[in-house]
Amino acid sequence: HVLPGFRQAAGVGEAAATTPVTRFPWNEPFASSSLNLLKACTKRSATVLLKDMTLVRGLLMQRLMQSVIVGTIFWQTNKDALKIPMLFLLTSLMSMSNMYVVDNTVTRRSIFYKHRDSGFYPTWIYVLAESLAEFPLQVLEVMIVSLICFFFVGFYRSTFVVFLFALLLISLAFTSVFKAIAANVRAASGAQGLAISFAAFSMCFSGYIITHDHIPGYFVWIYWLVPTPWILRVLTVNEFSSPGPDGRYDQLVPQPGSSPKRLGSVYLQSFAIQDEEYWVAAGFIYLAVLILVCQFLYALGLQHRRLDYERPVMVMARKSRGMKRGEAKLDPRMQAMFVSTSASQVTDRALQLLASVSPQPPSVTIALKQLSYTVEVAAP
C-alpha cells in the first residue's frame, strides 16, 4: 500500500534520479535474494513443523499401526489375486491419512497473509520452502509403510523401488490436492468436507469398486481424471508384470478360443486394469503433473485470496478528505511546493513525507485466564 507513495515521493522534482530516496530498500519488493529467502523460509517451516512433535509422533505411529495391520491381514499370502485388494486398501489409507494437511493449512494461512502483505517473502518461496521442509517427514512415513507392507505381504522383491517411489508420489499428490483446497475455501469445515469428498470420489472411480468396463460411458472421463486409478494401475502393473515369486506370474494360462496368457495379465484383466508396462511411466508422469498443478493452485490461492483476514493498512499520519483507507498519496499542496523548490530541498521534503507514513497497528484483545487475588484482613 505504501510503495506507490514512496515511488511518487522519489519522483517529485527535476533531479529525482539523484535523490537518495531511490536507493532505499522499499524500491525493491524484497530485502534479500531469492536464495536467502528460500533458506530462511525453509528453516522457519522446519522449525514450525518440529515444534509440533505431537503431530509428528502421531503421524509416525499412525503409519506404523496401519502398515502392521494391513501387512498382517495379507501376511505372506499365496493367493496372488488378493494383492490387488491389498494395494487398493493401501492406496486408500495413504490418501485419507493426509487429511490433517487441511486443518494445518487453514490455520497457517492467516500467518502467511501477514508475512506476505508485509513483504517478508514472495508466495512461491513460501510454497517451495514448506514443501522442502515437509519432504523428509513424508519420506520417513513412506519408508515405514513400504518396508512393512511390502515384505509382510510378500511382493516380488525386484519391484520394491517402484513400489516405494509410487507410495511417495501418492503422499505428495494428495498433500498437494488438500493444500490447494484449503487455500481456496474459506472455512476449515468446508475445506475438510471438500477434501473428504474428493478422496471418496477418487476411490469410487478407482476401477476397483466399479471396474473400468462397468463405468457408464458418460462418467468414464472421471476414471482418467482422478488420481486413485492411476496409482492403483502403477502398483498392480509393477507387481504383476514381473516374473513373480518362483516365476509364477509368467506361467501361461490357457484361454478358451484364444492364445494362452500370462497369469499376471489374467489377474490384471480380471479387474479391467491395463497390463502394458508403459502404464507405470505414464502413471508417474500423471502424478508429477498433478503435484505441480495443485502446488500452483495452492500458491495462486495464497497470493490472490484473503479468507477471514483483514489486510494491514498503511496510512499517512495526516489524511486529506476523500482519501480511502489504505491509500498513501502526497498532499497536493505539498506536491506543488516540491515542484517549485530545488533538487536538494526535494530530497529533504521527500524524506519528511516518508517519515510521516506509519503503520496502523491492529487492535489487540488480551484475555486473562485463571485470574485470582488475595485480600489481607487486619487482625482485630
Side-chain angles (χ1 to χ4, degrees):
H1 301 287
V2 186
L3 187 58
F6 287 157
R7 289 174 176 167
Q8 188 177 3
V12 174
E14 297 179 357
T18 61
T19 177
V21 176
T22 59
R23 298 195 296 270
F24 281 5
W26 47 67
N27 282 313
E28 296 296 331
F30 303 100
S32 186
S33 65
S34 297
L35 181 59
N36 289 335
L37 290 174
L38 180 61
K39 290 179 180 178
C41 205
T42 303
K43 182 178 179 181
R44 174 190 171 276
S45 298
T47 303
V48 171
L49 178 63
L50 294 177
K51 278 186 176 180
D52 193 358
M53 289 305 298
T54 302
L55 173 64
V56 174
R57 286 193 294 265
L59 286 174
L60 297 180
M61 287 299 299
Q62 180 187 37
R63 297 302 189 191
L64 181 62
M65 293 177 62
Q66 288 175 346
S67 305
V68 171
I69 292 174
V70 173
T72 304
I73 292 174
F74 297 92
W75 174 265
Q76 298 296 316
T77 179
N78 292 323
K79 298 180 180 179
D80 296 323
L82 289 179
K83 293 180 179 179
I84 296 179
M86 179 270 170
L87 292 173
F88 171 75
L89 177 60
L90 183 61
T91 301
S92 303
L93 290 176
M94 291 295 294
S95 61
M96 297 294 290
S97 298
N98 288 325
M99 200 67 64
Y100 73 94
V101 172
V102 177
D103 276 338
N104 280 2
T105 303
V106 172
T107 302
R108 295 173 184 173
R109 70 187 181 190
S110 60
I111 301 174
F112 164 79
Y113 294 157
K114 294 178 182 179
H115 289 179
R116 179 63 186 87
D117 293 342
S118 299
F120 281 25
Y121 39 71
T123 304
W124 71 270
I125 288 286
Y126 173 81
V127 172
L128 180 58
E130 189 179 56
S131 300
L132 292 175
E134 294 173 352
F135 185 73
L137 178 60
Q138 290 176 316
V139 171
L140 182 58
E141 293 178 52
V142 170
M143 287 294 295
I144 293 173
V145 175
S146 300
L147 290 172
I148 295 177
C149 289
F150 189 88
F151 293 104
F152 273 33
V153 176
F155 290 105
Y156 191 58
R157 293 192 176 185
S158 66
T159 64
F160 177 73
V161 175
V162 176
F163 181 87
L164 174 66
F165 191 51
L167 291 188
L168 179 60
L169 287 181
I170 294 171
S171 180
L172 294 174
F174 276 93
T175 298
S176 301
V177 170
F178 295 154
K179 283 184 177 181
I181 292 174
N184 291 278
V185 178
R186 183 173 301 277
S189 58
Q192 282 278 9
L194 191 58
I196 293 173
S197 300
F198 175 83
F201 200 67
S202 184
M203 285 189 290
C204 289
F205 286 90
S206 63
Y208 176 77
I209 299 176
I210 303 176
T211 61
H212 174 258
D213 294 342
H214 292 86
I215 297 176
Y218 47 84
F219 278 147
V220 74
W221 60 272
I222 302 177
Y223 172 83
W224 297 105
L225 184 63
V226 294
T228 303
W230 292 88
I231 298 166
L232 185 61
R233 191 181 303 115
V234 168
L235 293 173
T236 52
V237 172
N238 174 55
E239 172 65 18
F240 291 105
S241 63
S242 67
D246 302 324
R248 60 175 177 262
Y249 294 160
D250 286 337
Q251 295 177 3
L252 297 179
V253 179
Q255 300 293 314
S258 62
S259 59
K261 292 184 179 180
R262 291 180 64 254
L263 180 60
S265 298
V266 172
Y267 287 142
L268 293 174
Q269 292 175 3
S270 64
F271 287 91
I273 298 175
Q274 297 79 7
D275 59 349
E276 293 83 4
E277 293 187 21
Y278 63 79
W279 284 108
V280 175
F284 285 154
I285 294 173
Y286 167 85
L287 291 173
V289 171
L290 178 65
I291 292 170
L292 293 177
V293 170
C294 290
Q295 288 289 341
F296 175 75
L297 294 176
Y298 175 45
L300 204 64
L302 292 177
Q303 175 71 17
H304 296 289
R305 293 177 65 83
R306 292 295 180 266
L307 306 174
D308 296 330
Y309 171 74
E310 184 177 354
R311 291 178 182 269
V313 179
M314 307 291 286
V315 298
M316 292 175 55
R318 177 185 177 186
K319 296 193 299 182
S320 61
R321 292 184 179 180
M323 181 180 294
K324 296 181 180 179
R325 186 180 183 184
E327 294 182 352
K329 295 182 178 179
L330 294 176
D331 190 316
R333 292 173 297 177
M334 187 177 295
Q335 184 173 0
M337 182 176 61
F338 283 171
V339 174
S340 62
T341 56
S342 62
S344 60
Q345 292 174 322
V346 167
T347 299
D348 296 335
R349 297 292 187 182
L351 291 174
Q352 291 175 8
L353 173 67
L354 296 176
S356 68
V357 180
S358 60
Q360 177 181 341
S363 58
V364 177
T365 302
I366 299 178
L368 302 178
K369 298 177 64 176
Q370 298 179 354
L371 186 64
S372 62
Y373 64 93
T374 59
V375 178
E376 294 184 3
V377 180

